[in-house]
């Protein structure tokens, strides 16, 4: 990703793709865009001239056109955007829909976004201090989506799915996890797995991530621990302060990061980036929230999207501007007077975005 940082910082203009997707993605992404515009237009900003391309994807688009991820969207991301984009939310149904496949899962593969980085951090006023980053492998495990139905000797259905763990993907995610851990004062990395049962697949993940430490002498400064995934979830809620950076296969990383959001108050607060060698895609961890998607005025919490925008900027090399956004969001949370309903308040999406822009 260092090459991407250098390329982004040398550009005279940034072109950022915006994919609202479904539900509340249509309201939280414009809020994130406002904050990017506000921070980039300040006199001391090093962010070059910024423009946005609005692109289609999602289940609602699939219902209208038969395409969840149009080829035009992928083409624009690869050829028009400068390695940066934001994704809002997706409403993938829990039941099978003929011809439909999650656009965000496909997009991660199309753009080579092998890492999903999800910081979960409380503000100073919270009684429980949480500060962890979950680094989730983003391209394989059960999410290769190779499923099939056969029948047994009695004619009853048997559903099967392929779970793929490769040494290459595990090396990639392990390296990023060690790099993130090194940003801490006393770096510690927890490898999350279930190799006591899944000795072959999780065993390969565990062994590979451990071996990554031997590939770079800088990584020797990182204390490495392990947690079986079920005991990790238990410890996550009992003693979250003990975790710094966790690295996990795709499915485990998805589950523990959503659960960790409860520690800081709401899914509406937790950001992420999908990162690859040539592209950074910001994406709030929350879903499309169809129950509030059409409220007027909008009441969805935009903080996860705004923090995701900051993460996108940080991973593109604009650390100072990202830090300003983080501080502005934290200040609004600490003051507590402007909060959306998910945080126990009555403020609207726009009111929260206004407050964050003001604090910039």
């Amino acid at each position: 990703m260092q090459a991407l940082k250098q390329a982004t910082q040398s550009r005279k203009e940034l072109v950022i793709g915006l994919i609202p997707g479904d539900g509340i993605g249509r309201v939280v992404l414009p809020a994130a865009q406002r904050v990017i515009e506000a921070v980039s237009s300040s006199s001391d900003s090093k962010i070059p001239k910024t423009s946005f391309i609005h692109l289609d994807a999602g289940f609602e688009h699939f219902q209208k056109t038969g395409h969840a991820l149009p080829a035009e969207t992928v083409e624009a991301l690869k050829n028009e955007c400068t390695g940066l984009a934001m994704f809002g939310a997706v409403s993938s149904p829990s039941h099978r829909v003929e011809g439909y496949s999650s656009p965000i899962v496909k997009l991660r593969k199309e753009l080579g976004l092998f890492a999903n980085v999800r910081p979960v951090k409380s503000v100073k006023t919270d009684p429980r201090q949480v500060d962890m980053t979950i680094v989730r492998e983003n391209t394989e495990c059960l999410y290769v989506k190779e499923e099939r139905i056969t029948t047994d000797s009695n004619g009853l259905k048997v559903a099967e799915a392929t779970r793929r763990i490769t040494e290459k993907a595990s090396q990639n995610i392990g390296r990023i996890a060690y790099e993130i851990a090194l940003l801490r004062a006393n770096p510690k990395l927890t490898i999350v797995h279930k190799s006591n049962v899944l000795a072959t697949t999780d065993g390969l993940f565990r062994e590979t991530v451990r071996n990554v430490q031997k590939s770079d002498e800088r990584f020797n400064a990182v204390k490495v621990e392990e947690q079986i995934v079920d005991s990790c979830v238990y410890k996550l809620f009992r003693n979250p302060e003990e975790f710094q950076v966790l690295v996990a296969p795709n499915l485990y990383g998805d589950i523990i990061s959503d659960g960790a959001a409860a520690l800081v108050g709401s899914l509406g607060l937790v950001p992420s980036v999908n990162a690859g060698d040539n592209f950074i895609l910001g994406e709030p961890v929350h879903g499309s929230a169809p129950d509030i998607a059409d409220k007027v005025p909008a009441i969805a919490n935009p903080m996860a999207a705004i923090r995701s925008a900051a993460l996108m900027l940080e991973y593109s090399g604009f650390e100072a501007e990202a830090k300003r956004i983080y501080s502005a969001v934290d200040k609004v949370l600490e003051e507590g007077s402007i909060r959306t309903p998910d945080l126990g308040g009555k403020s609207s999406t726009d009111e929260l975005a206004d407050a964050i822009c003001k604090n910039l």
Side-chain angles (χ1 to χ4, degrees):
M1 286 186 289
Q2 190 60 36
L4 175 63
K5 282 187 177 183
Q6 293 172 350
T8 303
Q9 290 177 305
S10 65
R11 294 183 184 275
K12 295 182 178 179
E13 181 180 4
L14 295 184
V15 181
I16 301 173
L18 294 178
I19 312 169
D22 303 316
I24 62 171
R26 297 189 300 270
V27 296
V28 298
L29 225 53
Q33 178 182 344
R34 283 181 56 196
V35 172
I36 295 172
E37 290 171 336
V39 77
S40 62
S41 63
S42 63
S43 59
D44 59 345
S45 173
K46 294 183 180 179
I47 300 174
K49 179 183 176 183
T50 303
S51 61
F52 300 86
I53 300 177
H54 295 264
L55 303 168
D56 293 319
F59 186 61
E60 293 167 19
H61 190 73
F62 170 80
Q63 290 175 309
K64 294 175 183 176
T65 67
H67 300 283
L69 182 62
E72 296 83 359
T73 293
V74 177
E75 187 75 11
L77 290 169
K78 290 181 177 179
N79 298 315
E80 296 180 49
C81 298
T82 52
L84 303 174
M86 291 287 298
F87 190 95
V90 65
S91 292
S92 292
S94 56
H95 59 281
R96 186 174 182 273
V97 176
E98 187 66 36
Y100 177 79
S101 182
S102 171
I104 187 62
V105 172
K106 186 176 181 181
L107 202 52
R108 290 164 180 162
K109 295 176 182 178
E110 287 277 357
L111 299 176
L113 306 175
F114 54 82
N116 188 225
V117 183
R118 298 182 166 188
V120 181
K121 186 175 181 179
S122 56
V123 293
K124 296 176 182 177
T125 53
D126 286 349
R128 170 173 272 186
Q129 287 300 295
V130 177
D131 185 6
M132 69 180 75
T133 300
I134 297 163
V135 186
R136 167 192 174 194
E137 199 291 315
N138 217 19
T139 61
E140 51 182 30
C141 190
L142 284 169
Y143 287 55
V144 296
K145 293 179 68 65
E146 294 178 12
E147 298 181 289
R148 57 210 159 266
I149 291 183
T150 58
T151 55
D152 63 15
S153 57
N154 297 315
L156 298 175
K157 291 180 180 178
V158 177
E160 298 176 318
T162 296
R163 183 175 192 261
R164 184 174 294 121
I165 301 289
T166 67
E167 186 174 19
K168 179 63 176 175
S170 301
Q171 286 174 341
N172 286 340
I173 200 66
R175 191 168 294 109
I176 286 183
Y178 281 103
E179 293 282 1
I180 292 172
L182 283 175
L183 298 175
R184 305 273 181 150
N186 298 295
K188 181 171 69 172
L189 177 66
T190 303
I191 305 172
V192 182
H193 60 84
K194 189 71 176 177
S195 60
N196 57 329
V197 176
L198 302 170
T200 301
T201 50
D202 275 18
L204 177 62
F205 180 83
R206 170 191 172 277
E207 179 183 352
T208 303
V209 173
R210 277 200 166 274
N211 286 339
V212 166
Q213 189 173 36
K214 303 172 185 176
S215 68
D216 190 324
E217 63 180 15
R218 295 178 303 132
F219 298 160
N220 292 331
V222 180
K223 179 182 178 182
V224 179
E225 298 181 347
E226 298 181 25
Q227 280 284 310
I228 302 300
V229 63
D230 42 351
S231 64
C232 177
V233 172
Y234 176 80
K235 191 174 181 180
L236 193 70
F237 289 101
R238 293 281 294 185
N239 305 107
E241 300 86 353
E242 294 186 21
F243 290 113
Q244 288 189 14
V245 180
L246 300 90
V247 61
N250 207 334
L251 179 62
Y252 304 157
D254 196 4
I255 293 170
I256 61 177
S257 55
D258 278 18
L263 298 170
V264 294
S266 170
L267 274 170
L269 298 175
V270 181
S272 80
V273 287
N274 300 275
D277 291 327
N278 302 302
F279 210 100
I280 301 292
L281 177 71
E283 178 199 4
V285 170
H286 62 66
S288 61
D291 56 324
I292 62 168
D294 298 317
K295 295 283 187 180
V296 179
I299 59 171
N301 188 343
M303 286 183 167
I306 290 168
R307 281 174 163 171
S308 297
L311 270 178
M312 179 190 69
L313 293 175
E314 178 184 348
Y315 275 70
S316 305
F318 302 105
E319 289 91 351
E321 291 79 3
K323 187 176 181 180
R324 287 181 60 197
I325 297 174
Y326 298 140
S327 296
V329 172
D330 288 351
K331 187 174 180 181
V332 172
L333 282 171
E334 289 165 7
E335 289 175 348
S337 59
I338 301 175
R339 298 200 170 199
T340 43
D342 63 309
L343 298 175
K346 296 182 179 179
S347 303
S348 68
T349 305
D350 285 342
E351 287 171 334
L352 201 56
D354 288 341
I356 292 168
C357 287
K358 182 180 179 181
N359 281 322
L360 283 172

